[in-house]
Amino acid sequence: MARLGQQQTLREKLVLIIVTVAVLSSGMGILLITLHDLRYYRNDFERNVHTLAHVVAENVISELVFEDHEQARITLSHLMSVPYINKVVIFDNQQNVFARFSRAPDDTLVQIPLTTEGSLFKGNTLYLMHTIFLDDKGYGKLYIEANTAYLDRVLTQRMYDFLVVLFIIAILAFFLAFYFQGYISRPILNLSRVLKQISESRDFSKRLKRRSGGEIGELYDGVNHLLDTIQAHEKEIESTLEELKRSESRFRYIFEKSNDAMYVLQNDKFVLINPRFVELFEYTQEETTAPDFNFLKLVAPESIPAIQERYERRMRGETISNQVTFKAVSKSGKKYILTASLSEIEWGGEPAILGVLRDITDQVNLENQLRQAQKMEAIGKLAGGIAHDFNNILTAINGHAQLALLRANQDEATRKDLLEIVKGCDLAAKLTRQLLGFSRKQIVELKVININDVIRNMQKMLRRLISEDIDIQLKLNPDVPPIKADPGQIEQILINLIVNAQDAIQAKKEHQTTDRIIIATDAVFLDKRTFGIHPVERTGWFVVLSVSDTGIGMTEEVKSRIFEPFFTTKKERKGTGLGLSMVYGIVQQNNADIYVYSEPGEGSTFKIYWPAETRAQKADSFSPDRLPSVIRGNETILFVEDDDGVRHFGCEALSSLGYRVIQAANGKEALELFRKHNGKIDILVTDTVMPQMGGKELADRILEMRSDLKVLFASGYTDEQIVHHGVLEEGIFFIQKPYTIEQLAKKIRQVLDGDGHS
Amino acid sequence: MRFHRITTAVFYMFLLEVLLLEGQGQYAEYQVKAAYIEKFTHFIKWPNLPVADGKHRFVITILGEDPFGHYIDELFASVRVKNLPVEIRRIQKVDELDSTHILFISRSERKRIDAIVERVRHRPILTIGDTPGYCEAGVILNLFKRENYIRFEANLAAIADSGLEVNSRLLKLAKIVGAAER
């Protein structure tokens, strides 16, 4: 019999229960009937035996009365046909055996268990004693032994029958139960099947069809109601989950796309980092989050003490700022300046630190550059201001010295002195030019040139400039694109840089056998990505001119000041401190950028980036200015100069060269003179910076009257009215103060003859 | 209790009889026959029995020579038949016969048997004899001796004629002579 456990299906259980109940109840019924039968059969048996005794007694009464033993025996022998009668004995009144019958052939009357009227069940035998009466007179006794084995057989047979019936009932019950259990199990199985479908498909919109009333119907209603609730709940969960997913993915997106490196640090170990972190530090996610990874590996050595101090202070429980700027180092050794913004958070139930790292390297560099540029600008303005006035003085001194020399009646000693004055003036003029170069007030004419040509033209001169034990190497990329620059200024740059390199090499106490200066050119493409390294604010092709040396190199502090005028590390009298300043100024003026890379003790490299000239313009081959053969003339010149010394010198000099000179001390006067002599004047030579009316305004007003008039500006430094960033506008002529007579004459001739620029 | 007393009484009586029979063979035989007569009364129903009021008697008549002697008197003196006291009458001729319930026809009357039978025919009288041929002659019950046991034969026709009711159990032991003719 199968156990009634969990593994049975409802159907099996129902069938089992029904069959069990049927069999048990039938069995109980049969048992009761059997018990009843047992009693009934015994009684019945007893009654039968009694009846039989009566009948036998009646039948043998006459034999007994008339003592007919023979007939009595014959009568008793008929009892053979009664199967349960084992023995019958008739006693007469004297207790003698009158007649007897025994089923067993060799029977002997051993013991009679009862002597008086009555019956007795003993074992499987019924003993009965019956007095034989005739008309109230007893004539003897009838003794019967009846075997209940017969009865037992009957009962046993009956039991077998019952068992068969029970078996049939069980089978019938099984089939009926199997048939009828469906009324109960079908709705429940249907319920279970539908619920299973629902749970598998997770389709909570399904509903059960109520087919019946009663408990099953109520159960269906209950389940339907439950499904309503679940469906609503599911929907809610789904939308919440959806929202959560969306939110999660949004936040993940932010986390992953953030341009700031983010991390979660717990117990000094990284537990979470974002892609930018990996990109920045170049350690993989696995490396970073490995348990043995020390976060100090990401800190540059110079910042480690500060970070450690912060760490110790935090450990001591002191309040520390949640912002820190430090230098970080990547796996490959790239250094960054990072600002870390730190928040204390809970991560997985334990305290952790959320850090956001922002790379401010470019920002810091730009800030430094800006600061540097502002400083340079200020210094340049100062230098330019001084140079302006200084140039005027110099022009006067030099001019008058030259005029004095022109006068022939001077003695030899005076002449010598005058020459010394002129020489001194030349030196002073050179110095101011350099200053002006730095302050970007030098007048340049930008031409499209090939930088390699310029360098090659200078090669011999450079060699002479540098001591012989220093090797100069040229590494010129033949494919560099042309640039727009002033060739003369490139020369100036190169000379300054090479002299500076030589000084750096010579400043080194131990000379290496391979002391060398490398001059290299190359073409590079810079885009926003490389701005991190080369913070040029433009994108495109650049020509790089680099000058490297194996000299002493520079410290950061020196590096930050090298472009300042008069800053020098060289010993007294060895340098002016203006060389690199001039280079800086020129670079700025040429729309280029300069960078310095230096390691103390190892050497320095100066790199200048020129934007490549992309316009299809053939580079002019560089050549020294052609000198005009004739510098004399007879044209009329309107000479405007507020500085008396200069005006005086200019007028005298030009007159001596055959020109007619009309002079004016200021713009107003010049205008009046121009109106007065209109038509006669061929050229206007004017100072640019004058009180009341500047040279530019003057020129504009005069050009309104006569647009074809030639104009030559002269200035110690150019002002914005005439030049933009030191570059002349189209059709504007300019002469740098201080000028010599020859320079002035040559320039005037150029302008008048319409011969090119400057 | 009564049963026991009776049984004990009967037992002693029989014991006495057996002792008496030892010395008197002839009487012993009739002693048994007298007892048989008494026993027969148990199996016969008389239609004309008087009520037991103490006046009426159960009458046994012996016709001819009396073979019983005093035994029969003694026997019936102590035994009531059908709850009636018993009166033994002895007659020599059938003409003397008055109302009786049992008529014992002695061997001495064998020559007149037919007339006797004819005389009591159709009357409720139990006729008993112990002479061979009596039954065939129409006597209802006729005792005979076989293998030292007293047996009897019965004439069913005579029974039918007499109007007596005879218990079949009695007939079961009897040798049946003749069938009921009507």
Side-chain angles (χ1 to χ4, degrees), chain A residues 563-588:
Chain A
F563 296 122
E564 287 178 27
F566 308 113
F567 176 82
T568 180
T569 57
K570 295 165 193 170
K571 280 172 191 145
E572 252 178 284
R573 293 184 169 275
K574 242 200 136 182
T576 58
L578 281 171
L580 290 176
S581 306
M582 200 177 68
V583 169
Y584 181 84
I586 292 168
V587 163
Q588 299 293 307

Side-chain angles (χ1 to χ4, degrees), chain A residues 58-59 61-63 65-66 68 71 93-94 131 133-139, chain B residues 2-3 6-7 10-11 14 36 39-40 42-43 149 151-152 169-170 172-173:
Chain A
E58 286 287 307
N59 271 288
I61 183 72
S62 52
E63 286 90 332
V65 167
F66 298 101
D68 190 343
Q71 189 58 45
N93 278 340
Q94 285 76 45
T131 311
F133 284 102
L134 180 64
D135 292 348
D136 295 341
K137 189 188 167 194
Y139 284 89
Chain B
R2 190 185 64 177
F3 171 76
I6 292 166
T7 316
V10 170
F11 174 71
F14 267 77
Y36 264 52
K39 285 171 185 173
F40 285 148
H42 292 291
F43 295 95
Y149 284 99
R151 291 284 172 255
F152 56 91
R169 290 194 192 91
L170 180 70
K172 189 177 72 178
L173 295 178

Side-chain angles (χ1 to χ4, degrees), chain B residues 18-33:
Chain B
V18 169
L19 289 171
L20 287 171
L21 277 168
E22 287 291 313
Q24 306 165 340
Q26 163 118 31
Y27 291 109
E29 187 186 327
Y30 278 94
Q31 210 172 347
V32 172
K33 284 178 178 169

